[in-house]
Amino acid sequence: MSGSTYGTIFKITTWGESHGKGIGVVVDGCPAGLALSEEDIQVYLNRRRPGHSKFATPRKESDAVSILSGVFEGKTTGTPISLIVHNEEQRSRDYSEIASYYRPGHADLTFDMKYGFRDYRGGGRSSGRETIGRVAAGAIAAKILKQLGVELFAYTKSIGPVQINPASFSLEECLENPVCMPDKEAAQKAEEYLSQCMARHDSAGGCVECVVKGIPAGIGEPVFDKLDACLAKGILSIGAVKAFEIGDGIEAAQTVGSINNDAYQYDSDGKLQKLTNHAGGILGGISDGSEILLRAYFKPTPSISTPQKTVNQSGENIEVSIKGRHDPIIVPRAVVVVEAMTALTILDLLLMGMSSRMEYLKDIYLK
Amino acid sequence: MSGSTYGTIFKITTWGESHGKGIGVVVDGCPAGLALSEEDIQVYLNRRRPGHSKFATPRKESDAVSILSGVFEGKTTGTPISLIVHNEEQRSRDYSEIASYYRPGHADLTFDMKYGFRDYRGGGRSSGRETIGRVAAGAIAAKILKQLGVELFAYTKSIGPVQINPASFSLEECLENPVCMPDKEAAQKAEEYLSQCMARHDSAGGCVECVVKGIPAGIGEPVFDKLDACLAKGILSIGAVKAFEIGDGIEAAQTVGSINNDAYQYDSDGKLQKLTNHAGGILGGISDGSEILLRAYFKPTPSISTPQKTVNQSGENIEVSIKGRHDPIIVPRAVVVVEAMTALTILDLLLMGMSSRMEYLKDIYLK
Amino acid sequence: MSGSTYGTIFKITTWGESHGKGIGVVVDGCPAGLALSEEDIQVYLNRRRPGHSKFATPRKESDAVSILSGVFEGKTTGTPISLIVHNEEQRSRDYSEIASYYRPGHADLTFDMKYGFRDYRGGGRSSGRETIGRVAAGAIAAKILKQLGVELFAYTKSIGPVQINPASFSLEECLENPVCMPDKEAAQKAEEYLSQCMARHDSAGGCVECVVKGIPAGIGEPVFDKLDACLAKGILSIGAVKAFEIGDGIEAAQTVGSINNDAYQYDSDGKLQKLTNHAGGILGGISDGSEILLRAYFKPTPSISTPQKTVNQSGENIEVSIKGRHDPIIVPRAVVVVEAMTALTILDLLLMGMSSRMEYLKDIYLK
Amino acid sequence: MSGSTYGTIFKITTWGESHGKGIGVVVDGCPAGLALSEEDIQVYLNRRRPGHSKFATPRKESDAVSILSGVFEGKTTGTPISLIVHNEEQRSRDYSEIASYYRPGHADLTFDMKYGFRDYRGGGRSSGRETIGRVAAGAIAAKILKQLGVELFAYTKSIGPVQINPASFSLEECLENPVCMPDKEAAQKAEEYLSQCMARHDSAGGCVECVVKGIPAGIGEPVFDKLDACLAKGILSIGAVKAFEIGDGIEAAQTVGSINNDAYQYDSDGKLQKLTNHAGGILGGISDGSEILLRAYFKPTPSISTPQKTVNQSGENIEVSIKGRHDPIIVPRAVVVVEAMTALTILDLLLMGMSSRMEYLKDIYLK
């Protein structure tokens, strides 16, 4: 297999290359009876669409999605939902040159080593356009989760050295700036930083944080399919992610147990509360009902027009400047991808959890 | 499913609780013809065995492994290898009290919420003893990898605030100190730090680093089953891990593309080299043939005898001091677990990669 | 999941309904470097296309396939191959009436019971058009198998009471008659029988036999993933199949061991031979290198215009005559579907078998 | 993988060889809260135990099962249930001779061809003792199904040429005769037939029929994971099975649509009924709520002491008489194995079906 299927019950299979005919996804295992329109999916795709801002590739793509199957009279039927986005502006000529050499920081070399050759047009299957299928499927997952009371949202936490200030946090602000930061001041600093990078023909990285509210307790499987383990896989499967944290993450490794443990308390209504949430909502791989908090760290976009040393397939050491239309940073467009992978992962484990107790079986089959 | 199976081709299924009859693993999909003895596995298990040092639980367990199937006349037959370790010192009385309340930082609450009740003896299935099955299976995976030229080793990189100094790195030193640090001086500081934690009835966390040498280029699948994504899942599936990094990890998100990209060069023998390895040996989810470097961050052991606030199942807010035999830090014993999960993950993807090219099929079926 | 994915390494996912926008399949896990064109696939699709003969539905569909991804410069790249066939003549009006009642012998009732409602247009997902995805993917599997020396072909063995005569067997004859029988005389009798059925507004069933030549010994996994078990699943997953036989099948249950056992003998060249092949090429679930022989038994087409008793969704007992364009028998068009499922099943197990021996790993990774 | 795992949610993994230390199974994904004791499992194992009658191997095995994990205070905890049966009477000396040659009708040759060598003691992994794990796990599945109102039972339908007479059917009679036939007269004829076979040092085959009552409508997935397709795989995965039928099976292929279609009717209470059940309870791969009926056809036991032609590993054509303790027929002992595989298959699909409708998700997560 080439690893293009994700999930066990809510199972998605993506396909397509940057400069092929299109990009698509088949969603198998969507429960029947969900109201679903192309518009539900399009709003998610629009969040990752190129051409929005000066910090995103100028490639023009409408990324308009079509539902080809699995929906009848406005509702999901329980059968596979096939979604397609046609590629419109495939300027393959931009890429003809890169056929002969290996771009540093890209998957050119490793695809050649794995498969013997590669579709070199725009990164082929390793292009960021591959995430269209994830986001389209993630939109469906998020809609189901919402009906179960689960909401999730992601935002840019940092770009290069610029961090958001938790004290200035405003989720609405994300929509107001091109870097998707929930902090107006930080966003301005990040824009300045990015402008400097672009002026130097360089690129930047950053961090996306994702919050999940309203998840039922008990989601995630002990041992290998822990909720945090599955989230880590989902997040690291996004190209360019180099690190993953849940809750306090790396900081947890530096503190002591008496600080890191989250104490429990019944509130005045007898409801179980955690006094802190260092764990990020997961204990033993299973959700505890509190907020889930995770972070994805993205490396700088590898495509830069600064000259770089590399090799070509004729055995020569050469120097190259990458041309073409590239994002100086992918973080703002990746925010919705992180959200999508989080939604897909949580939904699949939530469906898996339906068989965790004999009483649940009886609820459904003996009613 | 309860998530106790890992891998697609080299597939392991673990079972067992801390205070049940034993712990075991079934390894399905091991290639036939591998010389394998109980001793091969025991040396790995001994590295995670309790009772070694003052920084590990005094619970006495020989953790002696038996091979129950799948090996005939000293060689694997290709059929499932069943391995068992009997529990010897199950002092269940130590745990009878914790049946009634939820230990902060443990999975007590979440198991109850998922399943309606729990095996409360020593953490049951969420105990660290569950890792015995992983380590036993990992020993087999590591042996196979070694025959293919792949070697991996892990060590403690930090404990609380104490970091190893790369300049003093000595892998042999790991065996000489109880904290498994490849740096004598850092190890001494870490021991002091741990002694202070213990004196305060507190616990510590830390970081394990794992290095893989000799992996062929081309391992890992694009998109969802990227090598780093699978490693992230494997590592986060170890209890108490809160963060994962590949290569430069979080630091990569703070630098620029011109620094982070690893340049290629042919050396004088015409061999392809990377001038740096910020990527940690993986590009586009596929190994590039250079060294793989990953880090796992562990939270402090949640079992501490310092009084903590929590709740009991009778609806009361209470204060508890955890008794029983606990590790003040799990990092040194977790080193071999990280190594095991890394080996299992890489081997499975390496087997998957056997069908990536038509020529490989012909190599095997037309010879 | 809704069960639309088949295979573990060579993994296909089909989608689409009879009267939706189209039918498609994503093939994940195809080895890189296979020469592949749309024509390779079209020749298979043409064998199941409607409108050929008086014994097939007059629905007009060109069933022209497009490759949307996974092929570059005429060769598979190792990434997902997305194939699509657009529906052309969706006369949904023919089916509007059947929305209100349950057709006997169809999946109308069971889809409603499973999902709460159904896409009633032409059977929706349970239509025979669903097999387009199988056949398209099967064409790729068959092409790979052929390069490994494995050839497979299927034909109609019986229609209603008419059986082929092994003494008159001629594979070429299959292409000469509309019932795909390798026996001219039997084909004529079958045509007469079908004409009588049609005159009575009735339908017929029959048997398809499939032969696999040149399969290497050692394919199939012991225990649950036996080659014959996987073939049985693949064949029974074709709509309307009610029975499966391997080798002598049911007859084997009536004979004695001394007759049923296939004796071995070295021929004069020292090559191992079986003196008979009652087993149909599989022992202990693993191929023995001789010819594989299997049979699929299809029920009569359930859509008949003879009046039938049934119920509607308003709670009434009614009598119906099914209108629309239906095949009086599906067997001749199902021949290529049986071939496709056989190819897909064998190829997947053949890829799985690549990791069965340590020496195979070394062949690929240490060369 | 070596194919020793079965099921997606209710997932079992078996291990062990005929003459190894024991046979076992790990059941992962069992819902929590099921009362379960060793006795629940033992009653099923006793039905397949050897040594009962003159028609079964005289090998003495108590086949006593131990639960090693996953059950606490008499109830399943939701974590893996590990079950073990120790081998007691491993007379390996009986088998030393067969190391050098290939027994006709056995998997000796195919294991050697797949793996390069084999555990030749008593058939190793391909022994009928492998079914102990299936039956032990099947006992758990059957217990869960019973609590959901689903009951299943199997019996011998034919032995060699002797068929039961439906008019004389009495399920209780199965327990009264050594051939497990629900028809006293047929059982006597079958015993006579078997005595004749034994006198000729020959063996016999036969058919097992299995009936499932009370299954909810809507179980089974369209397309590849049809209920009948999954049952076919489960049944064919039992060693020695050569054919599978659902409902009318092969006969359906010989009749016409107007006879084969099952008409619907509301009875006087408004309950939906089928007037016939030619389909065997499944339409479009999904249960319709009526009785499921399937048949498994077993070949004669291949081990016979009649001289047979075969080859040895030294390249010689030889003649052998198989010694050792063998069943002259396996059908009566296989009855409970068919029941177990049927229960395992149905339960897994039933758990899968829990996520088929949005309303089911809400039933569990919004209550």
Side-chain angles (χ1 to χ4, degrees):
Chain A
M1 56 168 205
S2 66
S4 291
T5 295
Y6 189 74
T8 298
I9 297 186
F10 193 87
K11 193 188 289 244
I12 73 167
T13 301
T14 67
W15 57 267
E17 293 93 25
S18 176
H19 287 61
K21 294 186 181 165
I23 300 278
V25 61
V26 182
V27 178
D28 197 27
C30 183
L34 177 77
L36 187 71
S37 68
E38 285 162 354
E39 182 58 20
D40 288 326
I41 297 163
Q42 196 63 52
V43 293
Y44 276 76
L45 287 176
N46 289 348
R47 290 171 60 197
R48 74 157 294 293
R49 195 152 51 97
H52 280 304
S53 84
K54 58 179 171 174
F55 304 128
T57 167
R59 177 171 172 171
K60 293 282 174 285
E61 292 284 355
S62 62
D63 284 355
V65 71
S66 298
I67 298 177
L68 299 179
S69 68
V71 176
F72 182 60
E73 297 181 342
K75 285 188 299 179
T76 58
T77 60
T79 61
I81 303 169
S82 179
L83 304 174
I84 191 168
V85 164
H86 290 278
N87 288 332
E88 293 164 354
E89 203 200 17
Q90 309 105 302
R91 290 202 216 155
S92 294
R93 63 183 179 283
D94 285 352
Y95 296 94
S96 53
E97 190 192 326
I98 64 169
S100 66
Y101 66 85
Y102 297 124
R103 292 171 299 166
H106 275 281
D108 300 347
L109 174 73
T110 53
F111 267 67
D112 260 23
M113 287 181 151
K114 184 175 189 69
Y115 298 118
F117 78 117
R118 71 183 188 281
D119 179 348
Y120 50 76
R121 302 166 303 164
R125 182 73 179 142
S126 71
S127 161
R129 276 190 76 70
E130 170 269 318
T131 60
I132 285 176
R134 302 171 184 241
V135 172
I140 303 176
K143 186 161 190 188
I144 295 172
L145 287 174
K146 195 167 183 183
Q147 297 202 3
L148 302 175
V150 187
E151 300 219 36
L152 30 82
F153 52 93
Y155 45 82
T156 302
K157 186 170 189 290
S158 70
I159 285 181
V162 184
Q163 302 263 347
I164 61 168
N165 178 354
S168 317
F169 189 95
S170 157
L171 196 58
E172 293 71 33
E173 176 58 31
C174 287
L175 305 169
E176 305 298 322
N177 64 68
V179 290
C180 205
M181 271 185 160
D183 170 349
K184 192 173 183 174
E185 205 178 323
Q188 283 167 347
K189 285 186 195 158
E191 289 189 55
E192 283 162 35
Y193 174 76
L194 288 174
S195 297
Q196 291 162 17
C197 284
M198 289 172 79
R200 291 196 317 265
H201 303 286
D202 215 333
S203 63
C207 173
V208 174
E209 191 161 70
C210 186
V211 177
V212 185
K213 288 178 188 287
I215 187 169
I219 305 306
E221 304 296 319
V223 189
F224 299 115
D225 292 338
K226 289 185 164 82
L227 176 50
D228 34 1
C230 293
L231 286 167
K233 179 176 177 181
I235 296 302
L236 261 287
S237 77
I238 305 170
V241 175
K242 303 302 287 183
F244 171 86
E245 291 185 306
I246 187 84
D248 284 3
I250 287 179
E251 281 185 25
Q254 291 153 7
T255 189
V256 288
S258 60
I259 292 175
N260 187 65
N261 283 350
D262 299 313
Y264 298 116
Q265 195 172 53
Y266 290 116
D267 65 13
S268 52
D269 295 333
K271 209 174 157 232
L272 186 64
Q273 304 274 322
K274 289 195 324 190
L275 297 180
T276 51
N277 188 15
H278 298 293
I282 301 175
L283 280 169
I286 301 170
S287 63
D288 64 15
S290 64
E291 204 170 280
I292 290 178
L293 193 76
L294 62 85
R295 279 176 297 282
Y297 291 86
F298 290 81
K299 71 175 185 182
T301 320
S303 292
I304 51 175
S305 48
T306 302
Q308 301 178 84
K309 287 184 182 171
T310 189
V311 298
N312 65 20
Q313 289 170 325
S314 319
E316 296 165 317
N317 291 320
I318 58 172
E319 199 173 80
V320 297
S321 300
I322 310 292
K323 298 193 190 73
R325 303 154 301 174
H326 302 289
D327 303 81
I329 183 161
I330 63 158
V331 169
R333 293 180 59 204
V335 164
V336 70
V337 184
V338 169
E339 218 174 286
M341 292 311 300
T342 303
L344 289 165
T345 306
I346 287 177
L347 177 59
D348 194 42
L349 285 169
L350 194 141
L351 297 181
M352 206 84 81
M354 294 180 75
S355 56
S356 60
R357 296 192 194 188
M358 278 304 295
E359 62 194 84
Y360 296 161
L361 276 68
K362 291 177 184 173
D363 281 349
I364 288 182
Y365 289 115
L366 292 184
K367 69 182 175 186
Chain B
M1 56 168 205
S2 65
S4 291
T5 295
Y6 190 74
T8 297
I9 297 186
F10 193 87
K11 194 189 288 248
I12 74 167
T13 301
T14 67
W15 57 268
E17 293 92 27
S18 176
H19 287 62
K21 293 186 182 166
I23 300 277
V25 62
V26 182
V27 178
D28 196 27
C30 183
L34 177 76
L36 187 71
S37 69
E38 285 163 352
E39 182 58 19
D40 287 326
I41 298 163
Q42 196 63 52
V43 292
Y44 276 75
L45 287 176
N46 289 348
R47 290 171 60 196
R48 73 158 292 293
R49 195 153 51 99
H52 279 304
S53 84
K54 57 180 171 174
F55 303 128
T57 168
R59 177 171 171 170
K60 294 281 176 286
E61 293 284 354
S62 61
D63 284 353
V65 71
S66 298
I67 298 177
L68 299 178
S69 68
V71 175
F72 181 59
E73 296 180 344
K75 285 189 300 180
T76 58
T77 60
T79 61
I81 303 169
S82 179
L83 303 174
I84 192 169
V85 163
H86 291 278
N87 288 332
E88 291 165 355
E89 202 198 20
Q90 309 104 304
R91 289 203 217 156
S92 294
R93 63 184 178 282
D94 284 353
Y95 295 95
S96 55
E97 189 192 328
I98 65 168
S100 65
Y101 66 84
Y102 298 124
R103 292 171 298 167
H106 275 281
D108 299 348
L109 174 73
T110 53
F111 268 67
D112 260 23
M113 286 181 152
K114 184 175 190 68
Y115 298 118
F117 78 116
R118 73 184 188 280
D119 178 347
Y120 51 75
R121 300 165 304 163
R125 183 71 177 142
S126 71
S127 162
R129 277 190 77 69
E130 170 268 319
T131 59
I132 285 175
R134 302 172 183 241
V135 172
I140 302 175
K143 186 161 191 189
I144 295 172
L145 287 173
K146 195 167 184 182
Q147 297 202 1
L148 301 175
V150 187
E151 300 220 37
L152 30 83
F153 52 92
Y155 45 82
T156 302
K157 184 170 189 292
S158 70
I159 286 181
V162 183
Q163 302 263 348
I164 60 167
N165 178 355
S168 318
F169 190 95
S170 157
L171 195 58
E172 293 70 33
E173 175 59 30
C174 288
L175 306 169
E176 304 299 321
N177 64 67
V179 291
C180 204
M181 272 184 159
D183 170 349
K184 192 173 184 174
E185 205 178 323
Q188 282 166 348
K189 285 185 195 160
E191 289 189 55
E192 282 161 34
Y193 174 76
L194 287 175
S195 296
Q196 290 162 15
C197 285
M198 290 172 79
R200 292 197 316 266
H201 302 287
D202 214 333
S203 63
C207 173
V208 173
E209 190 161 69
C210 186
V211 178
V212 185
K213 288 178 188 287
I215 187 169
I219 305 305
E221 304 296 320
V223 191
F224 299 115
D225 292 337
K226 288 184 164 82
L227 176 50
D228 33 2
C230 292
L231 286 168
K233 180 177 178 181
I235 296 302
L236 261 287
S237 77
I238 304 171
V241 175
K242 304 300 287 183
F244 171 86
E245 292 185 304
I246 188 83
D248 283 3
I250 285 179
E251 281 185 25
Q254 291 154 7
T255 188
V256 288
S258 60
I259 292 174
N260 187 64
N261 283 350
D262 299 311
Y264 298 116
Q265 195 172 53
Y266 291 116
D267 66 14
S268 51
D269 296 333
K271 208 173 159 232
L272 185 65
Q273 303 273 321
K274 289 195 324 189
L275 297 180
T276 51
N277 189 15
H278 297 293
I282 301 175
L283 280 169
I286 301 170
S287 64
D288 64 14
S290 64
E291 202 170 282
I292 291 178
L293 192 76
L294 63 86
R295 280 175 296 283
Y297 291 85
F298 290 81
K299 71 175 185 182
T301 320
S303 293
I304 51 175
S305 50
T306 301
Q308 300 180 83
K309 287 183 183 174
T310 190
V311 299
N312 66 19
Q313 290 168 325
S314 319
E316 296 166 317
N317 292 319
I318 58 172
E319 200 173 81
V320 298
S321 301
I322 311 292
K323 299 193 189 73
R325 304 154 300 173
H326 303 289
D327 302 81
I329 184 163
I330 64 159
V331 168
R333 293 179 59 202
V335 164
V336 70
V337 183
V338 169
E339 217 174 286
M341 291 311 300
T342 303
L344 289 165
T345 305
I346 288 176
L347 177 59
D348 194 41
L349 285 168
L350 194 141
L351 297 180
M352 207 84 80
M354 294 179 76
S355 56
S356 59
R357 297 191 194 191
M358 278 304 295
E359 63 195 82
Y360 296 161
L361 276 69
K362 292 176 184 172
D363 280 349
I364 288 183
Y365 289 116
L366 292 183
K367 68 180 176 186
Chain C
M1 57 167 204
S2 65
S4 291
T5 295
Y6 190 74
T8 298
I9 297 185
F10 193 87
K11 193 189 290 247
I12 74 167
T13 301
T14 67
W15 58 267
E17 293 92 25
S18 175
H19 287 61
K21 293 186 182 167
I23 300 277
V25 63
V26 182
V27 178
D28 197 28
C30 183
L34 177 76
L36 187 71
S37 69
E38 285 163 352
E39 182 58 20
D40 287 326
I41 298 163
Q42 197 64 52
V43 293
Y44 276 76
L45 287 177
N46 289 349
R47 290 171 60 196
R48 74 157 293 293
R49 195 152 51 98
H52 280 303
S53 84
K54 58 179 172 175
F55 303 129
T57 166
R59 178 172 173 171
K60 293 282 175 285
E61 293 284 355
S62 62
D63 285 354
V65 71
S66 298
I67 298 177
L68 299 179
S69 69
V71 175
F72 182 59
E73 297 180 343
K75 284 189 300 180
T76 58
T77 61
T79 61
I81 303 168
S82 179
L83 304 174
I84 191 169
V85 164
H86 291 278
N87 288 332
E88 292 163 356
E89 203 199 18
Q90 309 104 304
R91 290 202 216 155
S92 294
R93 63 184 179 283
D94 284 352
Y95 295 94
S96 55
E97 189 192 328
I98 64 167
S100 66
Y101 66 84
Y102 298 124
R103 291 172 299 166
H106 275 281
D108 299 348
L109 174 74
T110 53
F111 268 66
D112 260 23
M113 285 180 152
K114 184 174 190 68
Y115 297 118
F117 78 118
R118 72 184 188 280
D119 179 347
Y120 50 76
R121 300 165 305 163
R125 182 75 178 140
S126 71
S127 161
R129 277 190 76 70
E130 170 268 320
T131 59
I132 284 175
R134 302 172 184 240
V135 171
I140 302 176
K143 185 161 190 188
I144 295 172
L145 287 173
K146 195 167 183 181
Q147 296 201 4
L148 301 176
V150 186
E151 300 219 38
L152 30 82
F153 53 91
Y155 46 81
T156 302
K157 185 171 191 288
S158 69
I159 285 182
V162 183
Q163 303 264 346
I164 59 167
N165 178 354
S168 318
F169 189 95
S170 156
L171 196 58
E172 294 70 33
E173 176 59 29
C174 287
L175 305 169
E176 305 299 321
N177 65 67
V179 292
C180 205
M181 271 183 159
D183 170 349
K184 192 173 184 174
E185 204 179 324
Q188 283 167 347
K189 284 186 195 160
E191 289 190 55
E192 283 162 33
Y193 174 76
L194 287 175
S195 297
Q196 290 162 16
C197 284
M198 289 172 80
R200 291 195 318 264
H201 303 286
D202 214 334
S203 62
C207 173
V208 173
E209 190 161 70
C210 186
V211 177
V212 185
K213 288 179 189 285
I215 187 169
I219 305 306
E221 303 297 319
V223 189
F224 299 115
D225 292 338
K226 289 185 164 82
L227 176 51
D228 34 1
C230 292
L231 286 168
K233 179 177 177 182
I235 296 302
L236 262 287
S237 77
I238 306 170
V241 175
K242 304 301 287 182
F244 170 86
E245 292 185 304
I246 188 85
D248 284 2
I250 286 179
E251 281 185 25
Q254 291 154 7
T255 187
V256 288
S258 60
I259 292 175
N260 188 64
N261 283 350
D262 298 312
Y264 298 117
Q265 195 173 52
Y266 291 116
D267 66 12
S268 52
D269 296 333
K271 208 173 159 235
L272 185 65
Q273 304 273 320
K274 291 195 325 190
L275 297 181
T276 51
N277 188 16
H278 298 293
I282 301 175
L283 280 170
I286 302 170
S287 63
D288 63 15
S290 64
E291 203 170 281
I292 290 179
L293 193 76
L294 63 85
R295 279 176 297 283
Y297 290 86
F298 290 81
K299 71 177 185 181
T301 320
S303 292
I304 51 176
S305 50
T306 301
Q308 301 179 83
K309 287 184 183 172
T310 188
V311 299
N312 65 20
Q313 289 168 326
S314 318
E316 295 166 318
N317 292 319
I318 59 172
E319 199 173 80
V320 298
S321 300
I322 311 292
K323 298 192 190 74
R325 303 154 301 173
H326 303 289
D327 302 81
I329 184 163
I330 62 160
V331 169
R333 294 180 59 203
V335 165
V336 70
V337 183
V338 169
E339 218 173 285
M341 292 310 301
T342 303
L344 289 164
T345 305
I346 287 176
L347 176 59
D348 194 41
L349 285 168
L350 194 141
L351 296 181
M352 206 85 79
M354 293 180 76
S355 55
S356 61
R357 297 191 194 189
M358 278 304 295
E359 63 195 83
Y360 296 161
L361 276 69
K362 292 176 184 173
D363 281 349
I364 287 182
Y365 289 116
L366 293 184
K367 68 180 176 185
Chain D
M1 57 167 204
S2 67
S4 292
T5 295
Y6 189 75
T8 298
I9 297 185
F10 193 88
K11 193 188 287 246
I12 74 168
T13 301
T14 67
W15 57 267
E17 293 92 25
S18 175
H19 287 62
K21 293 187 181 165
I23 300 277
V25 62
V26 182
V27 178
D28 197 27
C30 183
L34 176 77
L36 187 71
S37 69
E38 285 163 353
E39 182 58 19
D40 288 325
I41 298 163
Q42 196 64 52
V43 292
Y44 276 76
L45 287 176
N46 290 348
R47 289 171 60 197
R48 72 157 294 294
R49 195 151 51 97
H52 280 303
S53 83
K54 57 180 172 175
F55 303 128
T57 168
R59 178 171 170 172
K60 293 282 176 285
E61 292 284 355
S62 61
D63 284 354
V65 71
S66 298
I67 298 176
L68 298 179
S69 68
V71 175
F72 182 59
E73 297 181 342
K75 284 188 301 179
T76 58
T77 60
T79 60
I81 303 168
S82 178
L83 303 174
I84 192 169
V85 163
H86 291 277
N87 288 330
E88 291 164 355
E89 203 200 18
Q90 309 104 302
R91 289 202 217 156
S92 295
R93 64 182 177 285
D94 285 352
Y95 295 94
S96 54
E97 188 192 327
I98 65 168
S100 64
Y101 66 84
Y102 298 124
R103 292 171 299 166
H106 275 280
D108 299 348
L109 174 73
T110 54
F111 268 66
D112 259 23
M113 286 182 151
K114 183 174 190 69
Y115 297 118
F117 78 117
R118 71 183 189 280
D119 178 349
Y120 50 76
R121 300 165 303 162
R125 183 71 178 143
S126 71
S127 161
R129 277 190 76 70
E130 170 268 319
T131 60
I132 285 175
R134 303 171 183 241
V135 171
I140 301 175
K143 185 160 190 189
I144 294 172
L145 287 174
K146 194 167 185 183
Q147 296 202 3
L148 301 175
V150 187
E151 300 220 36
L152 31 81
F153 53 91
Y155 45 82
T156 302
K157 185 170 190 292
S158 70
I159 284 181
V162 183
Q163 303 263 346
I164 59 166
N165 177 355
S168 319
F169 190 95
S170 157
L171 197 59
E172 293 71 33
E173 176 60 31
C174 288
L175 306 170
E176 304 299 321
N177 63 67
V179 290
C180 204
M181 271 183 161
D183 171 350
K184 192 173 183 174
E185 207 177 322
Q188 283 166 349
K189 285 186 194 158
E191 289 189 56
E192 283 162 34
Y193 174 76
L194 288 174
S195 297
Q196 290 162 17
C197 285
M198 290 172 79
R200 292 195 317 265
H201 303 287
D202 214 334
S203 63
C207 174
V208 173
E209 191 160 68
C210 185
V211 177
V212 184
K213 289 178 188 286
I215 187 169
I219 305 306
E221 304 296 319
V223 190
F224 299 115
D225 292 336
K226 289 185 165 80
L227 176 50
D228 35 0
C230 293
L231 286 168
K233 179 176 178 182
I235 297 302
L236 262 289
S237 77
I238 305 170
V241 174
K242 303 301 287 183
F244 170 85
E245 292 185 305
I246 188 83
D248 283 4
I250 287 178
E251 282 185 23
Q254 291 154 7
T255 187
V256 288
S258 60
I259 292 175
N260 187 64
N261 282 350
D262 299 312
Y264 298 117
Q265 195 173 52
Y266 290 116
D267 66 13
S268 52
D269 296 333
K271 209 174 158 234
L272 185 66
Q273 303 273 323
K274 290 197 322 190
L275 297 180
T276 51
N277 188 16
H278 297 293
I282 301 175
L283 280 169
I286 302 169
S287 64
D288 64 14
S290 65
E291 203 171 283
I292 290 178
L293 193 76
L294 64 84
R295 281 176 295 283
Y297 291 84
F298 290 82
K299 71 176 185 181
T301 319
S303 293
I304 50 175
S305 49
T306 302
Q308 300 179 83
K309 287 184 181 172
T310 189
V311 298
N312 65 20
Q313 290 169 325
S314 319
E316 297 165 316
N317 292 320
I318 58 171
E319 199 172 80
V320 297
S321 301
I322 311 292
K323 297 192 191 75
R325 302 154 300 173
H326 302 290
D327 303 80
I329 184 163
I330 63 159
V331 169
R333 292 181 59 204
V335 164
V336 70
V337 183
V338 168
E339 218 174 286
M341 291 311 300
T342 303
L344 289 165
T345 305
I346 287 177
L347 177 59
D348 194 41
L349 285 168
L350 194 141
L351 297 180
M352 207 84 80
M354 294 180 76
S355 56
S356 60
R357 298 191 194 190
M358 278 303 295
E359 62 195 84
Y360 296 161
L361 275 68
K362 292 177 184 172
D363 281 349
I364 287 182
Y365 288 116
L366 293 183
K367 70 181 175 186

